[in-house]
Amino acid sequence: MSAKTLPDLIPDADLHLPREAERRLPSGLTVIAIRRSAVPLVELRLRIPFGRAPLAPATLLSQAIFTGTSTLSSIDIAAELQAVGGSLGAALDPDRLLISGNALADGLDRTLELLAGVLTDATFPAEEVGVERERLVDHIQVALSQPAHLARVALLKRIYDTHPYAVQTPTPDEVRAVEPGALRQLHAERVRPAGATLVLVGDIDPDQAIDVAEKVLGGWTGGAPDGVIPPIPSIETGPLLLVDRPGSVQSSLRLALPGVTRTDPDYAAVTVANLIFGGYFSSRWVENIREDKGYTYGSHSGIEHFVAGSTWSGSAEVATEVTGPSLLETVYELGRIASLPPGEEELEQARRYALGTLRLSMSTQAGLAGLASMYAGFGLRLEHLREHSEALAAVTREEVFAAGAKYLAPSRAVTVVLGDADKIESQLSVLTAVERSRE
Amino acid sequence: MAPRIKIPATKYPVERFTLGNGLRVVLSPDRSAPVVGVAVVYDVGIRSEPEGRTGFAHLFEHLMFQGSENLEKLAHFRHVQGAGGTFNGSTHLDYTDYYEELPSGGLERALFLEADRMRGPRLTEENLRNQVDVVKEEIRVNVLNRPYGGFPWLKLPPVMFDTFANAHDGYGSFEDLESATVEDAQGFFDRYYACGNAVLSVAGDFDVAEATAMIERHFGDVPARPAPSLPDFAEPGLTEEKRESYIDRIAPLPAVAAGWGVPDPIGDFTGYLPYAVLAEVLTDGDASRLVERLVQRDRAATNLGGYIGFMGDEYQVRNPTALLLQAHMPPGGDAGKVLQTIDEELDRLVTDGLKPGELDRTQARMATRLLQGTDDVLGRAQPMAVLELQRGRPGLLNELPKLVSEVTDEQIVAAAATLRPERRASVEVIPGAAQ
């Protein structure tokens, strides 16, 4: 059979942003509503600033906020939400409390009413809080048996040291000590509309949806104390930190470097440099340690953005017996992206991936809601998609090379490895200075 | 109680045709976002693996990404991602799928790539050894180095079933994986990866006439090969309770899963569907029967889940399959007590029936989840491909919210009445890492 040639791509049409509306309510809550009507649903994301909230009570609050109001039990809330095809859940990160959910579009009003109930009138009944507290303790116990979680705990501590971002999961004992009173107090102080953003996306009329939100959430008022977190510290280099997990049949390899914020002029160039290094499947790192050498099922790198700063990290789970060789190849690939310009074809491929996946991510209600809510947390709007796309389209080889040298140099990276220390320490110490974790 | 909410439906168009070589095609155009999803599904899965070759269907899925007739190793990844898209594949009990999601300008490229590997992947010794290593790392990440790894999808089938097809480990033993040969792979491709044994599906932003021409251009000359005959994997159901347990050396807390046989999902969809709803009545959210009782009231479980099919693909699995319930427990939790409580609650449901509104709200939530799934182009392309492959009914995807909403209280009670202890298989995780 004659060789067949790859069909050309049809260039993307201009980026089309969906219809949206925005209003800042007198309470300080910003409501953003976006129309995407392909399915008769609505997605909801409420982001409440929660920086510097005490970790254990804040974590338990995120698990227990739906346990009751003065008029509804936890089961009533769950059943009433379910009746309109709805579901709401809460999660905590170092910057925010995020309440997310979805419902049938006809159920938007009822879902917002139930949301308003827990925002203004959560009672944290002792019995239900007790159930959620024990569940949270059990979940943390399970997390503490997972290598990926343990490696992240060690890496955060290594990067952020004494900064509030250094510890993002409370200990079981800290959670056990939290009483319902502490949750009521934290809710009264911090679950407040000032600075919060509600995003609604779906088969809705944006202006009408905001009207409904304004009416239903009008009783949610009040300011919150300053939760501003100081800028993240610069990362101090030092020996590789080795965390022992006896009996591990794999090692968890983690590297970190200072990151770049979304609005930094270098951001598009760093995005592309990172993709070429290890940010997607067709990257040098994956091709090297997975597709060439079979050391890992997968590796990935990327930038994690927090309000107080951004950090780059790379992670791979590798076979115990090739932990040292895996680190060697990783440092080699970082050195290569930092020392040599990328190829023209590599650049175009990564650029198109970055541009294309932006379009994929905004093609569903849930994707749009996530993007809009995340951007809002950094003071950005969907229009930023257009600006970022233009920057990606314009980035040059020289700029990517400069970004690699400036931001991905292995000499500035810190490394944490979690695994069976007795089996991997000697492999690692022939490559770099190693220090065993004291914890 | 709020008035019953109307369950909406989707009206995604469905076009079906078959190429001269036997390849079935499903198209579902929708111009609401400039993206397309492409799925190719082959009618072969874990259940078709030969004895001594556990894990082979999944290993072969990896080999399909390692180059093909006109493409070098790595080219597939680069061409999809270089078109701004994402890709993956997955291996199930009854099918293996490959899929891409791309900006719509990449559609023809995705079709070219899928057609090229349908003609023949590059099955070399080097690629095979490399992917055996990668799959071993995948098993370490997902099973061996992780607490509750493989629970319950790898642990419950050998308790519930007797035949190799239904009971064996779908990830495979390292021994079987390491002894796999290029000849095995070629034989597997020849037997199961025939275009007559596959469905191509495209959903999203495209013109039907243009896409049809592209599909004929790229797939039309794939040599015709008929599908192999599909074995019957049926087994007689359990007539007495079966219980097993195992020690998970890194799990900190106990867990238990139970399964009961259900009607044939294809041959008796009407009889089967109430079980899918029953699983949600029992476990969806804090207001569901078993969560309310076991998690909120008794504190006998910290998490509870219920679903059909060992891989959660309830509308994409063939007979035999099971309704599963799984519970994670607090320290010292008693699996026997959890199972006994489940029996009590099932008895109560059978005796007292459902509460007012209980079924309606469960159906409303199921509709939301079904509709949310179809908002994504791959959430249409992939299930439509499997529904065509297994049932010749890709449009069933549009009908599911309505069909779910038509299940009655009586059907739920009748389904619950069959979940007897003597028809149940269960497996308990003994935590090896408990303090």
Side-chain angles (χ1 to χ4, degrees):
Chain A
M1 183 175 300
S2 63
K4 306 213 169 201
T5 52
L6 192 70
D8 290 335
L9 298 173
I10 299 167
D12 291 335
D14 289 342
L15 192 67
H16 175 75
L17 296 176
R19 188 153 78 80
E20 62 179 316
E22 174 171 343
R23 193 181 308 162
R24 191 177 164 91
L25 308 187
S27 64
L29 173 69
T30 299
V31 185
I32 297 171
I34 302 171
R35 179 164 174 79
R36 173 169 163 80
S37 58
V39 284
L41 303 178
V42 61
E43 291 281 338
L44 178 158
R45 304 284 183 278
L46 173 63
R47 179 190 218 283
I48 302 171
F50 238 59
R52 294 211 314 236
L55 182 61
T59 308
L60 183 55
L61 182 144
S62 72
Q63 300 291 300
I65 193 166
F66 298 103
T67 50
T69 66
S70 58
T71 54
L72 298 173
S73 71
S74 68
I75 289 165
D76 294 336
I77 295 170
E80 299 246 333
L81 273 171
Q82 215 181 13
V84 293
S87 171
L88 291 173
L92 183 81
D93 71 23
D95 296 318
R96 64 176 179 181
L97 178 69
L98 180 69
I99 297 181
S100 340
N102 62 0
L104 295 169
D106 288 347
L108 174 62
D109 296 21
R110 188 71 190 125
T111 303
L112 286 172
E113 285 166 15
L114 292 160
L115 175 66
V118 302
L119 293 174
T120 57
D121 184 33
T123 50
F124 298 103
E127 184 81 5
E128 283 80 355
V129 167
V131 171
E132 293 305 328
R133 184 168 50 213
E134 287 173 34
R135 291 176 81 185
L136 178 58
V137 166
D138 289 348
H139 291 161
I140 294 170
Q141 299 282 23
V142 171
L144 291 173
S145 67
Q146 290 173 336
H149 176 82
L150 292 170
R152 178 169 169 84
V153 165
L155 184 69
L156 289 172
K157 188 84 190 136
R158 174 70 185 78
I159 300 170
Y160 298 117
D161 193 19
T162 59
H163 187 272
Y165 289 164
V167 179
Q168 300 185 6
T169 311
T171 66
D173 282 344
E174 288 165 350
V175 172
R176 283 190 191 103
V178 179
E179 295 297 330
L183 301 185
R184 286 181 209 118
Q185 187 189 343
L186 184 62
H187 186 281
E189 284 173 11
R190 297 300 301 268
V191 182
R192 288 290 165 254
T197 311
L198 173 66
V199 171
L200 301 170
V201 178
D203 188 6
I204 54 174
D205 175 277
D207 295 304
Q208 278 177 20
I210 294 178
D211 287 344
V212 171
E214 176 155 19
K215 181 164 142 269
V216 174
L217 294 170
W220 186 38
T221 55
D226 176 21
V228 174
I229 293 178
I232 59 174
S234 57
I235 296 178
E236 299 292 324
T237 55
L240 179 152
L241 185 68
L242 175 59
V243 185
D244 192 18
R245 183 173 178 262
S248 285
V249 295
Q250 270 180 330
S251 301
S252 303
L253 182 60
R254 300 289 184 273
L255 290 92
L257 282 158
V260 177
T261 65
R262 289 179 197 283
T263 48
D264 190 291
D266 288 341
Y267 184 59
V270 182
T271 298
V272 173
N274 172 64
L275 285 173
I276 293 169
F277 162 72
Y280 71 149
F281 199 93
S282 301
S283 65
R284 296 171 177 184
W285 197 23
V286 176
E287 290 187 356
N288 182 334
I289 67 171
R290 173 178 152 134
E291 292 297 303
D292 184 46
K293 301 193 178 65
Y295 291 167
T296 184
Y297 176 52
S299 62
H300 185 76
S301 66
I303 298 177
E304 185 172 29
H305 300 282
F306 290 120
V307 171
S310 303
T311 302
W312 176 94
S313 66
S315 59
E317 315 298 317
V318 302
T320 297
E321 58 271 23
V322 292
T323 304
S326 297
L327 178 63
L328 175 69
E329 296 301 329
T330 302
V331 173
Y332 164 75
E333 293 296 357
L334 271 180
R336 208 153 69 90
I337 195 72
S339 308
L340 291 163
E344 196 62 52
E345 187 53 34
E346 273 184 309
L347 167 61
E348 288 311 318
Q349 180 185 289
R351 185 203 311 277
R352 285 194 298 259
Y353 178 76
L355 287 167
T357 48
L358 278 179
R359 289 178 184 246
L360 300 185
S361 67
M362 56 183 289
S363 70
T364 60
Q365 292 177 356
L368 265 177
L371 263 178
S373 174
M374 177 188 74
Y375 276 178
F378 295 90
L380 301 169
R381 295 296 180 261
L382 280 187
E383 182 60 28
H384 181 70
L385 280 170
R386 194 188 309 282
E387 293 154 22
H388 183 47
S389 294
E390 285 165 6
L392 285 168
V395 86
T396 66
R397 274 179 84 199
E398 291 67 33
E399 287 165 347
V400 173
F401 177 32
K406 187 170 171 189
Y407 297 105
L408 295 176
S411 62
R412 290 192 282 275
V414 296
T415 308
V416 172
V417 179
L418 174 125
D420 193 325
D422 290 341
K423 292 194 178 133
I424 61 179
E425 182 164 14
S426 61
Q427 297 181 43
L428 295 167
S429 60
V430 296
L431 298 172
T432 186
V434 174
E435 179 183 293
R436 280 216 198 192
S437 169
R438 289 180 302 279
E439 286 168 42
Chain B
M1 181 57 62
R4 181 174 177 175
I5 197 160
K6 187 170 168 290
I7 302 292
T10 51
K11 294 196 181 79
Y12 294 111
V14 179
E15 306 260 351
R16 304 166 64 205
F17 57 92
T18 303
L19 296 185
N21 55 17
L23 177 67
R24 284 159 286 175
V25 180
V26 179
L27 303 179
S28 184
D30 160 34
R31 315 304 291 251
S32 71
V35 299
V36 288
V38 175
V40 177
V41 180
Y42 294 89
D43 202 340
V44 60
I46 290 164
R47 286 201 245 236
S48 292
E49 286 166 354
E51 295 202 37
R53 286 287 173 267
T54 57
F56 197 82
H58 172 244
L59 174 63
F60 192 83
E61 173 211 319
H62 279 244
L63 296 177
M64 284 288 279
F65 288 94
Q66 296 290 307
S68 51
E69 195 168 283
N70 297 289
L71 292 166
E72 299 294 323
K73 179 181 165 83
L74 305 175
H76 184 92
F77 311 123
R78 291 174 181 169
H79 289 320
V80 175
Q81 296 194 311
T86 60
F87 64 86
N88 214 334
S90 63
T91 307
H92 297 243
L93 295 179
D94 296 309
Y95 67 95
T96 308
D97 65 7
Y98 302 86
Y99 49 86
E100 295 83 38
E101 183 169 4
L102 322 88
S104 28
L107 173 58
E108 187 166 8
R109 180 176 286 196
L111 295 172
F112 169 87
L113 295 170
E114 289 299 349
D116 212 55
R117 61 180 167 182
M118 190 177 282
R119 280 188 209 96
R122 289 199 182 194
L123 302 172
T124 67
E125 184 66 23
E126 186 185 357
N127 286 344
L128 176 61
R129 300 274 76 87
N130 168 245
Q131 291 303 309
V132 167
D133 285 345
V134 169
V135 167
K136 284 164 64 182
E137 290 314 299
E138 181 177 353
I139 294 169
R140 286 185 172 121
V141 165
N142 289 334
V143 182
L144 303 175
N145 210 38
R146 165 184 293 187
Y148 313 102
F151 173 78
W153 80 277
L154 295 177
K155 304 298 186 180
L156 191 53
V159 186
M160 182 144 199
F161 297 114
D162 290 327
T163 63
F164 175 82
N166 294 320
H168 76 269
D169 178 341
Y171 250 145
S173 71
F174 281 16
E175 190 186 359
D176 282 1
L177 290 167
E178 282 163 359
S179 64
T181 67
V182 171
E183 290 68 37
D184 294 333
Q186 189 62 53
F188 199 77
F189 179 81
D190 291 343
R191 181 168 171 77
Y192 294 112
Y193 278 69
C195 55
N197 206 35
V199 171
L200 162 70
S201 166
V202 184
D205 180 30
F206 61 88
D207 174 85
V208 169
E210 284 172 14
T212 302
M214 287 179 200
I215 288 165
E216 280 172 355
R217 188 151 66 238
H218 294 289
F219 288 89
D221 67 352
V222 177
R225 288 192 290 133
S229 64
L230 187 70
D232 181 2
F233 297 114
E235 289 190 37
L238 298 181
T239 51
E240 61 179 39
E241 182 182 1
K242 287 185 75 178
R243 285 180 70 166
E244 299 276 349
S245 65
Y246 68 98
I247 295 170
D248 181 331
R249 70 180 176 86
I250 49 180
L253 297 169
V256 65
W260 293 261
V262 295
D264 180 345
I266 313 281
D268 181 16
F269 189 60
T270 310
Y272 169 84
L273 191 59
Y275 288 83
V277 183
L278 173 62
E280 304 295 332
V281 167
L282 295 173
T283 63
D284 178 40
D286 285 350
S288 65
R289 291 200 167 225
L290 291 179
V291 176
E292 181 183 350
R293 170 77 193 270
L294 282 164
V295 177
Q296 305 291 334
R297 201 179 337 154
D298 293 0
R299 305 190 186 189
T302 52
N303 259 337
L304 196 70
Y307 51 96
I308 297 190
F310 293 90
M311 309 182 80
D313 43 9
E314 58 194 339
Y315 305 115
Q316 304 171 330
V317 66
R318 288 200 178 101
N319 195 52
T321 187
L323 184 150
L324 306 191
L325 295 173
Q326 68 181 92
H328 288 259
M329 291 177 275
D334 179 344
K337 189 85 195 339
V338 168
L339 293 175
Q340 192 189 326
T341 307
I342 289 171
D343 292 337
E344 275 174 39
E345 288 299 320
L346 287 166
D347 286 345
R348 194 193 310 276
L349 176 59
V350 172
T351 308
D352 301 345
L354 288 137
K355 290 175 276 188
E358 186 178 3
L359 179 57
D360 289 348
R361 58 182 164 81
T362 304
Q363 289 162 325
R365 186 64 201 152
M366 289 179 79
T368 297
R369 281 205 301 269
L370 285 164
L371 294 168
Q372 190 188 32
T374 63
D375 191 23
D376 177 40
V377 285
L378 273 180
R380 276 168 264 152
Q382 199 274 353
M384 278 187 185
V386 182
L387 292 171
E388 169 65 38
L389 186 79
Q390 297 183 343
R391 300 164 187 262
R393 281 187 71 192
L396 182 62
L397 190 66
N398 281 323
E399 298 165 36
L400 281 173
K402 179 164 178 288
L403 292 174
V404 161
S405 76
E406 288 169 355
V407 169
T408 64
D409 285 27
E410 292 71 30
Q411 287 176 303
I412 297 292
V413 168
T418 70
L419 306 189
R420 306 303 311 157
E422 64 270 18
R423 294 188 61 243
R424 182 179 71 211
S426 66
V427 63
E428 180 184 351
V429 180
I430 313 276
Q435 293 104 336

